[in-house]
Amino acid sequence: MEKEMIIVLDFGGQYNQLIARRVRECNVYCEVHPYNLSLEKIKEINPKGIIFTGGPNSVYAEESLRCGMEIFEMGIPILGICYGSQLISYLFGGSVKTAPVSEYGKTEIIIDNKSVLFKNVSKKTIGWMSHTDYIEKPPEGFQITAHTSECPVAGMENVERKIYAVQFHPEVMHTLEGMKMLSNFVYDICGCNGDWKMDSFVETSIQEIRKKVGNGKVLCALSGGVDSSVAAVMLAKAVGKQLTCVFVDHGLLRKNEGDEVEAVFGPNGPYDLNFIRVNAGERYFKKLAGVEEPEKKRKIIGEEFIRVFEEEAKKIGTVDFLVQGTIYPDVIESGLGKSAVIKSHHNVGGLPDYVDFKEIIEPLRLLFKDEVRLAGLELGIPDYLVYRQPFPGPGLGIRIVGEVTPEKVAIVQEADFIYREEIAKAGLDKELGQYFAGLTNMRSVGVMGDERTYDYAVALRAVNTSDFMTAEAADLPFELLQKVMNRIINEVKGVNRVFYDLTSKPPGTIEFE
């Protein structure tokens, strides 16, 4: 299917995937590609516009990531963001230097809204800055379109060449009118119509899967979470009984979750799937014994997932394809581009070097969490499954800081069950992006029943987020937190303290490890 597309060229920043997400909110399809994507490939894609991302380098440093001048001769509108704006200035002969005063966070920006990029944007607005270099003087032929008290070139443009640049980040929610700016670029500068919708993505994906698989057999990694559930139903619609779904209960699930998943996807559930449940908790605990380092835990859990799938595949005969519910934040955070590795997801960076399948299919690989939910609704999956509370593939293994043991898992399961139950009773379960209880590796002295205790501290997490790439800690009522604390300490053996995590993302991540 021919579709309009904006491409984002990745120069190594951590907000790059958000740019694609915001463009898609304008109903225009968008993909992220490496900064050095060839001109031939760009011509093949035939994008309506190109966006240069931010990045950690200085454009004048030897190790900086740069594209060639040829890309500007293609006549395709270009928007540079942060490092991308500095790169444009540098390549065209402008002056880029270390800023006398670095700008970080929310900053007042003075806008020249005669620029098409800033149409309908307030004369004074708030933008999110994150830079140590700045454009001291724009190149010849470029006009300054925005500035701050510390940054003389917060925006610039060369209308004739269709090149636009901003020093701040319009893609993050902290830039109050950032969506207006991106919409102006997509529609008024690039001339897009905005005809990309989720239903077209679902139908196209089903057709592509059917063509790729042919008569082959497919094995799907089903966790019961929204990502793998949507992937499973999409594959079922594409290839039917050629699909076998394997649900690995690794002993690291939430309380009662294994039975709940089987009730939905098993033989008595609403979906006509070949369903296999593997109870593998014992082998996981043996593999994880004595392991404390987060990345090592993720790698162990990821490899064991694959080994279990291989074993099940051999039992059912030749299997050609493995399907996983990998989504876009997994890909970015696992560092599969120029972005830094934040953490390896078991179904991306956590894969072992050798996987005994012809190919891995990841139909949701380019979608964000909220887009996955929209795809699920398009597929007819019930709301209660689509909006199920997110749960990571490595399970409670990354919600337990330090070594994972059956005893610690039992503590987290009970504490998390209480927390989620009280959140639901308070009517907040639909409002929060994600919430859960985790176990710290801190033990401290307490007094319970006039006796000294030396037990663990549970940490509660609740965040508001739309895309799971940035998040703010939720402002939960203090009375609710007190109630949860009292219940956990009174009902969960081995816990004598409860904390509430106020950390946003960034600098933290939503999960603990």
Side-chain angles (χ1 to χ4, degrees):
M1 181 185 70
E2 290 294 326
K3 57 179 177 284
E4 297 177 328
M5 187 186 298
I6 301 292
I7 62 172
V8 174
L9 295 188
D10 180 0
F11 286 89
Q14 290 300 333
Y15 295 141
N16 304 341
Q17 66 291 332
L18 280 182
I19 302 172
R21 180 68 192 92
R22 302 305 177 219
V23 172
R24 292 188 204 178
E25 288 179 10
C26 298
N27 294 324
V28 175
Y29 189 65
C30 185
E31 291 182 357
V32 179
H33 292 275
Y35 75 97
N36 55 359
L37 187 69
S38 69
L39 294 182
E40 291 74 19
K41 185 61 178 178
I42 294 175
K43 291 176 182 176
E44 181 184 326
I45 294 173
N46 191 27
K48 299 280 284 187
I50 299 172
I51 300 177
F52 292 177
T53 74
N57 300 116
S58 294
V59 294
Y60 46 79
E62 288 186 15
E63 71 276 11
S64 65
L65 309 180
R66 301 175 192 150
C67 61
M69 288 296 292
E70 298 83 0
I71 195 170
F72 300 103
E73 306 302 323
M74 300 178 73
I76 301 171
I78 292 175
L79 171 63
I81 295 175
C82 197
Y83 175 88
S85 70
Q86 296 167 11
L87 178 63
I88 290 170
S89 179
Y90 179 83
L91 291 174
F92 278 90
S95 176
V96 179
K97 294 184 177 180
T98 301
V101 177
S102 299
E103 290 180 304
Y104 294 100
K106 295 179 181 179
T107 305
E108 184 180 72
I109 300 171
I110 311 302
I111 294 291
D112 179 359
N113 50 18
K114 289 181 289 187
S115 167
V116 176
L117 186 66
F118 298 132
K119 185 181 74 172
N120 297 325
V121 174
S122 306
K123 184 71 175 177
K124 292 184 179 180
T125 190
I126 297 298
W128 183 260
M129 287 285 194
S130 181
H131 67 100
T132 53
D133 290 343
Y134 78 144
I135 299 171
E136 181 186 51
K137 182 179 178 182
E140 184 177 347
F142 283 76
Q143 302 297 318
I144 296 174
T145 57
H147 68 277
T148 74
S149 60
E150 304 293 344
C151 183
V153 188
M156 67 178 188
E157 65 183 20
N158 185 319
V159 176
E160 184 179 351
R161 284 181 168 268
K162 303 178 186 176
I163 302 173
Y164 300 80
V166 292
Q167 180 59 66
F168 54 92
H169 290 271
E171 70 274 19
V172 303
M173 300 303 289
H174 304 300
T175 298
L176 296 185
E177 298 177 89
M179 276 302 297
K180 288 183 184 178
M181 302 171 196
L182 291 174
S183 179
N184 290 338
F185 178 71
V186 167
Y187 286 105
D188 296 323
I189 295 172
C190 299
C192 292
N193 296 314
D195 54 5
W196 183 76
K197 302 287 191 299
M198 185 52 66
D199 56 353
S200 62
F201 171 83
V202 169
E203 183 56 37
T204 301
S205 297
I206 289 173
Q207 292 174 6
E208 290 175 350
I209 291 167
R210 193 173 290 143
K211 182 179 179 181
K212 178 189 289 287
V213 171
N215 296 321
K217 289 186 178 181
V218 185
L219 192 62
C220 179
L222 178 61
S223 70
V226 60
D227 304 333
S228 66
S229 296
V230 172
V233 175
M234 186 178 289
L235 264 292
K237 287 183 177 291
V239 300
K241 285 295 187 179
Q242 294 169 242
L243 171 68
T244 297
C245 290
V246 176
F247 168 53
V248 178
D249 185 344
H250 47 26
L252 305 173
L253 299 173
R254 291 171 288 202
K255 185 178 180 179
N256 302 328
E257 189 158 27
D259 294 338
E260 291 172 357
V261 171
E262 184 170 2
V264 173
F265 289 99
N268 298 319
Y271 299 105
D272 187 21
L273 300 172
N274 294 319
F275 178 83
I276 298 172
R277 177 175 177 176
V278 182
N279 295 312
E282 188 174 340
R283 67 190 278 180
Y284 273 87
F285 286 123
K286 287 181 179 178
K287 290 276 187 178
L288 291 168
V291 179
E292 297 185 358
E293 204 278 318
E295 275 295 287
K296 190 173 181 181
K297 287 196 292 186
R298 285 177 173 270
K299 297 289 186 181
I300 289 172
I301 295 170
E303 178 159 355
E304 206 62 18
F305 257 94
I306 294 298
R307 297 302 164 232
V308 171
F309 291 138
E310 288 176 337
E311 292 168 12
E312 294 305 316
K314 290 174 183 176
K315 294 178 184 178
I316 64 176
T318 302
V319 174
D320 304 291
F321 300 93
L322 171 65
V323 173
Q324 297 189 130
T326 307
I327 66 173
Y328 202 50
D330 299 342
V331 175
I332 295 297
E333 289 190 339
S334 294
L336 301 189
K338 291 298 174 184
S339 303
V341 174
I342 299 174
K343 54 188 178 182
S344 292
H345 290 258
H346 80 278
N347 49 354
V348 189
L351 286 174
D353 294 332
Y354 175 72
V355 181
D356 191 16
F357 295 99
K358 177 180 177 181
E359 189 174 345
I360 294 177
I361 298 175
E362 297 169 318
L364 311 177
R365 185 180 179 87
L366 296 178
L367 298 187
F368 293 90
K369 180 70 74 174
D370 54 334
E371 292 178 316
V372 172
R373 291 194 169 110
L374 290 176
L377 295 175
E378 287 291 335
L379 287 162
I381 301 175
D383 284 16
Y384 74 88
L385 278 181
V386 170
Y387 290 102
R388 185 185 182 100
Q389 184 64 200
F391 191 62
L396 300 181
I398 59 171
R399 292 182 179 176
I400 295 171
V401 179
E403 183 183 12
V404 178
T405 66
E407 294 74 24
K408 289 182 178 179
V409 169
I411 290 174
V412 179
Q413 285 176 332
E414 294 299 328
D416 181 72
F417 184 83
I418 291 169
Y419 186 36
R420 288 186 291 122
E421 186 175 63
E422 293 299 332
I423 289 283
K425 285 180 181 178
L428 299 175
D429 51 322
K430 296 292 194 302
E431 298 179 16
L432 300 172
Q434 190 167 348
Y435 53 93
F436 60 88
L439 186 66
T440 73
N441 61 353
M442 187 193 91
R443 299 182 72 185
S444 63
V445 173
V447 179
M448 299 175 70
D450 296 326
E451 293 185 1
R452 178 186 184 276
T453 62
Y454 188 64
D455 288 327
Y456 286 104
V458 162
L460 306 178
R461 186 86 161 120
V463 299
N464 293 316
T465 179
S466 62
D467 47 46
F468 289 81
M469 293 309 303
T470 60
E472 296 289 343
D475 185 11
L476 296 184
F478 187 68
E479 295 79 9
L480 172 61
L481 292 173
Q482 279 189 310
K483 186 174 183 179
V484 173
M485 177 271 295
N486 280 323
R487 282 197 62 190
I488 289 175
I489 289 178
N490 288 329
E491 299 175 32
V492 183
K493 185 178 180 181
V495 178
N496 65 2
R497 289 184 190 270
V498 176
F499 298 145
Y500 186 64
D501 186 351
L502 293 173
T503 314
S504 61
K505 176 184 181 180
T509 56
I510 294 177
E511 297 291 344
F512 290 135
E513 292 193 335

